[in-house]
Amino acid sequence: MDFSFPPDAVEFRAEVKQFLADNLTEDMIVATHDGTIHSAALHRAMADRGWLSGAVPEELGGGGRDPIESLVLIEELQLARAPIDAMGVAIVMVSMILEHGSDFLKGEAVPRLLSGESLGCFGYSEPESGSDVAAARTRAVRDGDEWIINGSKMWTTMAHVADYVILLTRTDPDMAKHKGLTFFLVPLDTPGIEIQPVHTMGTERSNATFYDNVRINDSWRVGDVNGGWAVMKTALKYERGIAGGQFPSPPVIDAALDWATTNVRVDGSAVIDDPTVREKLIRAMIDVEVCRGFAYHTASLASEGVMFGVEGSMTKLFSSESYKKHCRWFHDMLGPEGLLTHDEPDAHMGGRIEENLRHSPVTAIYGGTSEISRNLVAEVHLGLPRTR
Ligand SMILES: Cc1cc2nc3c(=O)[nH]c(=O)nc-3n(C[C@H](O)[C@H](O)[C@H](O)COP(=O)(O)OP(=O)(O)OC[C@H]3O[C@@H](n4cnc5c(N)ncnc54)[C@H](O)[C@@H]3O)c2cc1C
């Protein structure tokens, strides 16, 4: 078994590191404290390098960069704490349009999304349906060449800065749950759309979006009428795969290591000399290596042309659950100082551990909750019987 990276991936990693040294500023990271995890300048710079199109599979008409290199890109961006919410959305949304969309949509939206000129957001979840996304109730009713959309979506992250929402609607309420669904790509400046902020514990801003008699031409439909579930499966495949976040812990571990090596206890002993602190640091570093193992295993399957399935859920599950655990451990280690937030001048490393502690729970919710991931692993990987 050869665990070394292909030479192209090693070279690409160096290119990404240099790009980040040249383009990512501390101001861009600090700006995310307003809740929008996006930098227009950084997003455009990545698009200019062809990194968005590169991550779209070649068989769909994308750049087809080796999935191992795409994962190297994500890993380096996350290690540097780059604000990249728009990147994953662009890659997944373009893949959905290329796999299921019309020539009109491919010409209209794909070049704009891949150049960074336009941004997208996902409109799947509703107040009454998240994990059970196929229970969506937002209605689309045909009216000649147009559709009239009414309903509401919850957690439409990035909608306040995006140009398009890819919207899951119910077009036939009499068909079985998974069958009466249809997707549309809806420009967010279409009359009848209202966007309201939803601020989260983790600083991140999301949105509730409301659709009141929104008229959209049939040319904006993605996939077949009542064929929305096939489009959804494409989205989940890419979202749970290499586009997911697998490396959130290392910046937290860096902060914990810095704290432990620069602080002393009341008895004068160095924090880093405490065996329980050392054990937690080492265990966290081991977890990160396990995460890398899961993630690069998934990417190498994709690289060999094997479409991953449950492997993406296994990666996400281990990564988000261990991230939550690391944040709790290291926040405890800081004691009362862990309560200082990023706007406090004395906060250690800009309040990084505290901020991650608040952010970490959501990583086990969006993109498929940990419970849903465990169900998938149990049923698909372990072959256990369905429980629902
Ligand atoms: C900050 C944030 C950003 C988000 N961004 C977006 C976005 O951009 N676009 C979008 O469409 N959605 C987005 N989401 C929504 C996200 O995908 C859902 O929150 C998630 O799928 C869970 O759905 P829910 O919140 O309705 O919880 P529910 O599905 O109601 O789940 C509640 C609890 O029950 C558990 N549960 C549910 N079903 C099962 C089951 N079958 N077996 C075992 N346990 C179960 C869940 O794991 C969870 O613990 C975002 C969410 C958050 C919090």
Side-chain angles (χ1 to χ4, degrees):
M1 214 178 271
D2 181 7
F3 284 100
S4 58
F5 281 88
D8 285 351
V10 174
E11 207 174 293
F12 183 55
R13 190 184 292 277
E15 184 187 337
V16 177
K17 279 185 190 294
Q18 188 57 51
F19 167 86
L20 288 167
D22 295 341
N23 291 278
L24 177 67
T25 65
E26 191 60 27
D27 283 351
M28 288 175 180
I29 299 172
V30 170
T32 62
H33 291 151
D34 75 358
T36 306
I37 319 296
H38 169 66
S39 156
L42 189 73
H43 187 69
R44 287 251 189 172
M46 289 196 293
D48 288 348
R49 293 254 171 162
W51 290 349
L52 303 187
S53 54
V56 175
E58 195 171 15
E59 59 274 21
L60 298 180
R65 184 180 281 285
D66 188 318
I68 294 177
E69 291 175 32
S70 292
L71 190 59
V72 164
L73 172 63
I74 291 167
E75 181 178 14
E76 290 302 324
L77 291 167
Q78 291 192 341
L79 294 182
R81 300 184 296 132
I84 53 166
D85 269 8
M87 185 184 89
V89 179
I91 294 165
V92 174
M93 191 183 265
V94 165
S95 301
M96 292 163 82
I97 296 169
L98 289 176
E99 196 162 320
H100 301 277
S102 63
D103 287 344
F104 164 73
L105 288 179
K106 287 176 189 166
E108 175 70 26
V110 169
R112 292 203 174 115
L113 289 165
L114 292 183
S115 68
E117 176 192 337
S118 298
L119 303 179
C121 60
F122 298 133
Y124 317 144
S125 303
E126 298 189 1
E128 300 298 324
S129 56
S131 302
D132 189 11
V133 72
R137 289 193 205 161
T138 293
R139 278 285 273 136
V141 177
R142 189 143 198 170
D143 182 26
D145 281 348
E146 292 187 329
W147 293 83
I148 304 170
I149 300 174
N150 279 289
S152 57
K153 293 284 172 182
M154 188 57 182
W155 307 116
T156 324
T157 308
M158 299 285 295
H160 60 294
V161 288
D163 303 276
Y164 303 109
V165 56
I166 191 150
L167 197 69
L168 179 65
T169 69
R170 182 154 305 281
T171 37
D172 189 339
D174 297 326
M175 292 179 95
K177 191 166 68 173
H178 290 73
K179 292 195 173 153
L181 299 166
T182 304
F183 264 102
F184 295 91
L185 188 72
V186 182
L188 278 160
D189 58 2
T190 311
I193 300 179
E194 188 187 334
I195 300 167
Q196 288 182 5
V198 176
H199 297 286
T200 68
M201 176 179 81
T203 309
E204 184 175 6
R205 174 196 163 151
S206 191
N207 301 284
T209 49
F210 301 90
Y211 304 82
D212 181 12
N213 285 319
V214 173
R215 283 190 166 266
I216 185 93
N217 194 280
D218 186 54
S219 54
W220 292 89
R221 175 164 46 83
V222 183
D224 294 335
V225 175
N226 298 328
W229 194 243
V231 185
M232 192 74 236
K233 283 207 274 199
T234 299
L236 295 178
K237 181 172 71 181
Y238 292 109
E239 190 171 323
R240 287 180 185 162
I242 55 170
Q246 291 91 11
F247 311 103
S249 283
V252 182
I253 300 171
D254 286 349
L257 191 56
D258 183 87
W259 167 267
T261 50
T262 53
N263 280 273
V264 289
R265 303 255 191 235
V266 279
D267 65 2
S269 64
V271 175
I272 192 67
D273 289 338
D274 179 338
T276 60
V277 168
R278 297 167 84 90
E279 183 192 343
K280 290 213 162 57
L281 282 164
I282 294 296
R283 284 192 184 279
M285 289 174 191
I286 292 169
D287 286 340
V288 169
E289 285 311 306
V290 175
C291 286
R292 295 184 89 226
F294 273 123
Y296 281 102
H297 171 65
T298 307
S300 65
L301 286 178
S303 177
E304 287 161 16
V306 181
M307 197 59 234
F308 51 81
V310 73
E311 292 83 3
S313 299
M314 290 162 76
T315 308
K316 182 186 180 291
L317 175 62
F318 190 86
S319 149
S320 48
E321 288 298 324
S322 53
Y323 172 47
K324 279 181 5 188
K325 180 179 68 183
H326 302 153
C327 289
R328 281 196 308 271
W329 282 350
F330 299 130
H331 189 254
D332 279 354
M333 182 184 83
L334 258 62
E337 273 202 54
L339 298 174
L340 296 180
T341 53
H342 54 75
D343 44 6
E344 301 279 351
D346 292 337
H348 175 253
M349 287 180 79
R352 190 187 293 185
I353 293 177
E354 189 274 345
E355 188 177 5
N356 276 273
L357 179 81
R358 283 184 289 109
H359 171 67
S360 58
V362 81
T363 63
I365 296 173
Y366 54 36
T369 67
S370 287
E371 290 76 18
I372 296 295
S373 297
R374 286 192 188 96
N375 283 350
L376 282 167
V377 173
E379 288 162 17
V380 180
H381 188 67
L382 301 175
L384 298 176
R386 283 173 73 91
T387 52
R388 63 205 139 86

